[in-house]
């Protein structure tokens, strides 16, 4: 690799601003909350955060195309309800129930994709509509009640360990690897970035741009299905409101992770964005700050971090 | 090796009509291997339509397309591509954040195992492609970090990577500097040597004589003639371009101009304008002519305070204005009728009456409470005066025709009572009837003592309506002409053919 005089500066600049803020935050919590900087807390945080991580790995792909995905939380809920229903009431075998969860997620994604590409509805509205549909069905399925009575072995997916580490963590790594590979090493990834950067360019190459756009939503739906498996396994039941508000956390995370505009964003950046949110929440918990005040702190910190990143990185590009 | 004497491409008797216009009327065009065939003509002469038919984007009404001597029965974008026809458009079709190699192979990625990108091969091929064009660019750079010229090279490389034998360059130099243009020409020469045929659309005459082998002139959808560049000269080409009679469509009645309404001196903006100076008097229509991209719209934007100026002074009615922004401009009595009405001028989903009073709500309703009756009364006045049709005040403006939308924009400014009007392309895309009405109205405005600065790409409009004409070229004013100047003189000046006075 060639070294030019400016390359050190460039290398430093390549580190997203949010990473510095994240490091600062970790130092802050480590100083003021002794229980924060422990291995146990780290594993705990990553396990609890695996659901957000998996959802974000789908949301980032949509976000890069310029879309806003607001249905993942509700879709995850619905997929979990269907899966629990299949296990508890229909007594279907576990693999079928798991598959069902993914199928429900994928179908909801297809619905989003159909709204966006074929009916020309802005993604913001289309996914909000799907959110409503999914949340409504979830509530209606068991008259607003939790579905209990799942086979014990399903708990492995949410609480078990594999090679000494929690299974949900492994699944979130799997989700990351999927999105990372897809975005960086496949033509599909190129089209995802092209859709966000200059959709017309993709259309002019003669590729069915609308179809790739649809697939992006299907992919996000599949990730919601995977997240549903984890959360249902962890709770050993399906709650009809479990995903409430998750879409906004996911959206904040991908934006924090560097997806400020259409055509921008990476899988690695998303990991950082997710960690940011998890650590902020976890740190405040460990410090013993009440939940309702946490909300009031998280909001401004998120906006501050995003504004700072946009200012610094926006300036660096010019 | 292909025979040099057989054309790669022949377009014979191509005709195309759009509602209300015969865009192309039995146009012929042919192209030989290794040739640069320049296509010139005024805006609206039919160049773009012809190229869109070649690309398969438009269907032709009549005529045939012949490739390598074979008449093509079917024609569509996929077939055009399959026959090696590639277009480099004015607006680039690159994905800004992605690297050069990805952009070149967009939609045709090299893969391993049919699924994974083979980045190594893509970079290798992209690199050797750029080398062969004489422009070694690091193929790992995102295209947004490249200059405009380099981006254009990437566009051309993209076309060549698809085995293009017929390359269409649409105004390739409009955004390039002199040195970049030289680089582009070098690449074009290399392509010629490889037997690629190039159709080169340009507004700049000097380029025609540097790079062209033959030139075809279109005017009003007809082919006026084709010449060997070596056997013609600028005068002949300009004459062929302009040739038409300027019809008596323009009702300008001259009147004695009054005081100076607007004086601009040494105006600069950081990217476009260099030392722009001119003045407009009350009672005068001043035309601002020039090619697309010569800086006319930017001048209007700077005067109106939409773009910051880096140097120069603006005087309105004899008073120097230090700081100007749109609210201040309106307050001082300047009204801007933007080029892109749809985007900047109207509120398409609001009713007619709201559009008309939009810029003068404060004057009409000083207490901040709207009064629909008064709104109707006020809007109705102008709708009547300008003969907006249909005169339905509640109608959403999006459902009006282009000409009537333009009248609504005029009405909006009349309502604020400005004294200095800047019309940017006042009649673009407007049918002939409405055009004449708007022209008559501009004449009336001037004769009532208002000052009008009119930007237009239509030469007849400039010649027919202006009392004085300034010509811009590459961000500067390069000439000032009185009424009654020859069309050829102005075109020559706008094309930068020579310094003029």
């Amino acid at each position: 690799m060639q070294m030019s005089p400016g390359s050190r500066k460039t290398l430093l600049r390549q580190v997203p601003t949010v990473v510095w803020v994240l490091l600062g935050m970790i130092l802050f919590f480590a100083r003021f909350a002794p229980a924060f900087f422990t291995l146990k807390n780290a594993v705990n945080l990553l396990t609890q955060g695996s659901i957000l991580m998996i959802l974000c790995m789908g949301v980032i792909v949509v976000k890069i195309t310029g879309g806003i995905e607001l249905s993942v939380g509700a879709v995850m809920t619905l997929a979990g309800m269907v899966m629990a229903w299949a296990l508890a009431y229909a007594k279907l075998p576990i693999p079928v129930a798991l598959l069902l969860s993914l199928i429900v997620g994928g179908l909801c994604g297809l619905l989003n994709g159909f709204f966006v590409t074929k009916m020309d509805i802005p993604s913001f509205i289309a996914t909000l509509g799907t959110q409503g549909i999914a949340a409504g069905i979830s509530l209606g399925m068991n008259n607003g009640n939790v579905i209990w009575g799942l086979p014990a072995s399903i708990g492995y997916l949410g609480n078990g360990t594999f090679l000494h580490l929690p299974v949900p963590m492994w699944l979130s790594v799997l989700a990351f690897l999927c999105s990372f590979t897809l975005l960086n090493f496949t033509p599909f990834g190129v089209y995802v970035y092209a859709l966000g950067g200059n959709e017309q360019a993709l259309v002019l190459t003669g590729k069915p741009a609308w179809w790739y756009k649809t697939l992006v939503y299907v992919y996000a739906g599949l990730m919601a299905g995977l997240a549903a498996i984890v959360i249902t396994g962890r709770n050993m039941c399906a709650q009809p409101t479990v995903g409430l508000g998750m879409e906004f956390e996911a959206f904040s995370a991908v934006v924090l992770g560097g997806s400020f505009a259409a055509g921008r964003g990476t899988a690695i950046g998303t990991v950082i964005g997710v960690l940011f949110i998890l650590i902020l929440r976890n740190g405040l918990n460990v410090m013993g700050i009440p939940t309702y005040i946490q909300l009031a702190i998280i909001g401004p910190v998120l906006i501050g971090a995003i504004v700072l990143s946009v200012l610094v990185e926006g300036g660096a590009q010019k | 090796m292909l025979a040099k004497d057989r054309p790669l491409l022949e377009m014979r008797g191509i005709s195309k009509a759009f509602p209300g216009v015969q865009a192309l009327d039995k146009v012929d065009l042919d192209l030989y291997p290794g040739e640069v065939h320049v296509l010139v003509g005024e805006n609206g002469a039919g160049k773009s339509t012809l190229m869109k038919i070649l690309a398969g984007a438009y269907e032709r009404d009549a005529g045939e397309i012949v490739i390598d001597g074979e008449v093509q029965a079917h024609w569509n974008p996929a077939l055009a591509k399959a026959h090696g026809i590639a277009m480099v458009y004015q607006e680039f079709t690159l994905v800004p954040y992605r690297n050069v190699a990805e952009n070149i192979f967009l939609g045709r990625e090299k893969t391993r195992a049919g699924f994974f990108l083979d980045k190594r091969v893509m970079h290798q091929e992209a690199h050797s492609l750029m080398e062969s064009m004489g422009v070694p660019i690091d193929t790992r750079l995102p295209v947004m970090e490249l200059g405009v010229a380099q981006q254009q090279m990437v566009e051309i490389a993209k076309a060549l990577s698809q085995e293009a034998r017929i390359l269409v360059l649409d105004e390739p130099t409009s955004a390039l500097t002199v040195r970049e243009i030289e680089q582009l020409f070098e690449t074009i020469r290399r392509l010629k040597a490889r037997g690629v045929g190039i159709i080169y659309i340009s507004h700049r005459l000097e380029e025609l004589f540097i790079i062209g082998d033959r030139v075809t002139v279109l005017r009003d959808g007809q082919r006026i003639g084709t010449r060997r560049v070596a056997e013609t000269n600028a005068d002949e080409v300009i004459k062929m371009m302009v040739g038409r009679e300027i019809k008596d469509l323009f009702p300008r009645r001259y009147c004695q101009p009054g005081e100076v309404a607007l004086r601009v001196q040494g105006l600069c903006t950081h990217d476009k304008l260099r030392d722009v100076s001119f003045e407009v008097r009350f009672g005068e229509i001043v035309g601002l002519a020039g090619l697309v991209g010569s800086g006319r719209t930017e001048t209007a934007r700077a005067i109106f305070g939409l773009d910051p100026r880096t140097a120069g002074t603006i005087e309105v009615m004899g008073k120097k204005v230090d700081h100007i922004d749109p609210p201040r401009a309106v307050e001082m009595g300047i009204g801007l009728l933007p080029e892109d009405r749809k985007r900047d001028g109207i509120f398409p989903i609001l009713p007619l009456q709201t559009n008309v009073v939009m810029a003068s709500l404060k004057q009409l309703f000083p207490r901040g409470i709207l009064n629909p009756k008064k709104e109707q009364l006020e809007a109705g006045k102008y709708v009547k005066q300008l003969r907006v049709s249909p005169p339905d005040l509640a109608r959403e403006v999006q459902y009006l025709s282009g000409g009537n939308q333009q009248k609504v924009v005029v009405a909006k400014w009349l309502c604020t009572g400005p004294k200095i009007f800047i019309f940017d392309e006042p009649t673009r895309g407007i049918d002939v009837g409405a055009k004449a009405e708007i022209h008559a109205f501009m004449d009336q405005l001037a004769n009532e003592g208002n000052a009008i600065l009119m930007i237009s790409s239509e030469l007849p409009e400039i010649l027919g309506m202006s009392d004085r004409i300034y010509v811009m070229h590459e961000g500067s004013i390069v000439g000032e002409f009185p009424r009654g100047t020859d069309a050829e003189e102005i075109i020559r000046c706008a094309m930068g053919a020579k310094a003029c006075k």
Side-chain angles (χ1 to χ4, degrees), chain B residues 59-331:
Chain B
E59 252 176 67
R60 59 194 190 274
D61 297 341
E64 52 192 18
I65 293 175
V66 185
I67 306 278
D68 293 329
E70 280 172 40
V71 178
Q72 303 295 316
H74 301 286
W75 200 245
N76 58 42
L79 280 172
K81 209 166 234 178
H83 279 101
I85 295 171
M87 308 263 158
V88 175
Y89 295 96
Q90 262 171 289
E91 300 97 41
F92 294 156
T93 59
L94 299 175
V95 184
Y97 303 122
R98 308 310 287 174
N99 68 39
V100 172
E102 268 179 26
N103 267 289
I104 290 177
F105 292 108
L106 183 66
R108 296 167 296 112
E109 286 76 12
K110 309 277 173 195
T111 53
R112 273 175 298 155
F115 186 69
F116 294 103
L117 287 177
D118 196 336
K119 293 192 179 179
R120 207 175 50 88
V121 171
M122 281 166 62
H123 280 290
Q124 260 170 14
E125 288 190 18
H127 186 74
S128 59
L129 204 57
M130 299 307 293
E131 289 260 275
S132 77
M133 288 167 54
V135 225
I137 294 175
D138 182 354
T139 58
R140 283 165 214 282
L141 284 177
V143 293
M144 69 174 185
E145 286 178 19
L146 303 177
V148 185
Q150 289 176 315
Q151 290 192 12
Q152 193 145 42
M153 295 300 170
V154 175
E155 282 275 359
I156 294 173
K158 190 168 154 185
L160 293 179
S161 76
Q162 305 169 42
E163 308 289 309
R165 301 183 302 141
I166 298 168
L167 189 61
V168 179
L169 301 176
D170 188 0
E171 300 258 4
T173 56
S174 58
L176 304 189
T177 64
V178 178
R179 193 168 315 136
E180 291 167 339
I181 291 173
E182 197 35 59
Q183 193 183 32
L184 174 73
F185 286 171
E186 188 48 44
T187 302
I188 290 177
R189 287 184 195 108
R190 281 174 188 242
L191 297 179
K192 282 177 67 167
R194 277 158 57 173
V196 176
I198 294 169
I199 298 175
Y200 187 105
I201 299 177
S202 183
H203 271 312
R204 298 188 181 174
L205 276 193
E206 68 264 32
E207 290 172 5
L208 155 64
F209 292 96
I210 297 172
I211 198 72
D213 297 306
R214 281 190 302 159
V215 53
T216 288
V217 180
L218 294 185
R219 189 210 308 154
D220 296 337
Q222 293 181 324
R223 190 187 73 141
I224 303 305
T226 299
R227 302 277 185 278
R228 297 202 158 278
V229 168
E231 294 162 10
T232 187
N233 55 47
D235 281 338
E236 188 186 16
V237 173
I238 289 173
K239 209 164 271 169
M240 287 164 77
M241 280 170 67
V242 181
R244 121 193 74 181
E245 302 278 309
I246 306 288
K247 297 175 205 96
D248 197 28
L249 269 172
F250 305 99
R252 179 73 186 127
R253 302 162 292 167
Y254 181 77
C255 62
Q256 191 61 39
E259 294 290 297
V260 174
L262 176 71
R263 175 179 282 144
V264 173
Q265 263 172 336
L267 181 69
C268 298
T269 60
H270 53 243
D271 52 350
K272 194 81 202 190
L273 302 182
R274 289 184 317 220
D275 193 19
V276 173
S277 305
F278 65 92
E279 58 180 41
V280 185
R281 289 169 176 275
F282 284 116
E284 203 181 28
I285 297 181
V286 171
L288 199 52
L291 303 176
V292 173
S294 57
R296 297 164 305 165
T297 296
E298 287 80 0
T299 303
R301 288 179 62 90
I303 293 171
F304 205 65
L306 283 163
D307 294 335
R309 69 187 131 117
T310 51
T313 58
I314 296 173
E315 273 174 49
V316 179
M317 295 168 219
K319 266 186 289 187
K320 231 176 223 160
V321 188
D322 291 327
H323 174 73
I324 199 159
D325 56 19
R328 183 100 183 80
V330 172
E331 214 173 282

Side-chain angles (χ1 to χ4, degrees), chain A:
Chain A
M1 192 160 165
Q2 284 185 351
M3 286 294 280
S4 60
S7 69
R8 227 182 69 144
K9 196 168 140 202
T10 328
L11 211 64
L12 264 184
R13 269 198 183 168
Q14 276 174 357
V15 178
T17 316
V18 65
V19 171
W20 303 120
V21 183
L22 182 64
L23 289 177
M25 207 163 69
I26 291 176
L27 285 177
F28 175 83
F29 285 131
R31 168 77 182 72
F32 293 103
F36 173 80
F37 207 69
T38 58
L39 188 64
K40 188 161 162 260
N41 190 40
V43 171
N44 181 22
L45 181 148
L46 289 175
T47 311
Q48 284 183 355
S50 59
I51 292 168
L52 183 61
M53 185 73 84
I54 294 170
L55 287 180
C56 283
M57 286 304 148
V59 171
I60 181 62
V61 178
V62 174
K63 182 71 178 63
I64 292 170
T65 66
I68 292 174
E69 165 57 284
L70 292 181
S71 71
V72 284
V75 169
M76 176 182 79
T77 309
L78 178 62
M81 289 295 282
V82 171
M83 175 181 148
W85 171 85
L87 290 166
Y89 297 140
K91 305 289 182 200
L92 293 176
I94 290 175
V96 177
L98 300 187
L99 196 62
L100 216 51
S101 177
L102 294 177
I103 289 173
V104 169
L107 283 178
C108 289
L110 197 62
L111 193 64
N112 279 330
F114 174 77
F115 284 154
V116 171
T117 59
K118 283 292 160 187
M119 300 181 69
D120 262 338
I121 302 175
S123 59
F124 182 88
I125 294 163
T127 56
L128 206 57
T130 303
Q131 183 198 66
I133 296 169
I137 299 177
S138 304
L139 278 167
M141 266 181 77
N142 203 23
N143 296 318
N145 295 317
V146 174
I147 301 182
W148 295 96
L150 309 185
S153 53
I154 205 88
Y156 177 73
L157 292 165
N159 301 310
T161 57
F162 176 72
L163 298 177
H164 303 295
L165 287 174
V167 171
M169 235 174 101
W170 286 112
L171 288 175
S172 61
V173 170
L174 177 75
F176 164 73
L177 286 178
C178 278
S179 295
F180 181 76
T181 310
L182 209 61
L183 288 175
N184 291 296
F185 300 109
T186 67
F188 182 72
V190 175
Y191 303 152
V192 169
Y193 283 105
L195 279 169
N198 185 349
E199 186 170 343
Q200 198 54 28
L202 189 61
V203 173
L204 284 175
T205 64
K207 289 278 165 187
W210 70 271
W211 175 236
Y212 293 113
K213 211 175 196 172
T214 308
L215 283 183
V216 161
Y217 289 90
V218 173
Y219 182 77
L222 288 175
M223 283 297 172
L226 181 62
I229 292 174
V230 176
I231 201 163
T232 310
R234 203 176 75 201
N235 296 339
M236 284 306 287
C237 68
Q239 302 166 356
T241 54
V242 70
L244 208 67
M246 289 291 277
E247 45 280 315
F248 293 105
E249 278 196 353
F251 184 77
S252 315
V254 298
V255 174
L256 266 173
S259 187
F260 303 129
R264 317 234 57 175
T266 59
I268 294 176
T270 303
V271 172
I272 294 168
V274 172
L275 287 181
F276 189 100
I277 290 194
L278 293 178
I279 288 174
L280 180 57
R281 223 175 26 193
N282 176 274
L284 292 174
N285 267 332
V286 173
M287 281 178 79
I289 304 213
T291 320
Y292 47 90
I293 298 184
Q294 281 186 21
L295 286 175
I297 296 175
I298 291 174
V301 172
L302 285 185
I303 290 176
I306 291 170
V307 168
L308 189 67
S309 302
V310 170
L311 284 180
V312 172
E313 273 143 51
Q317 269 167 31
K318 290 248 162 102

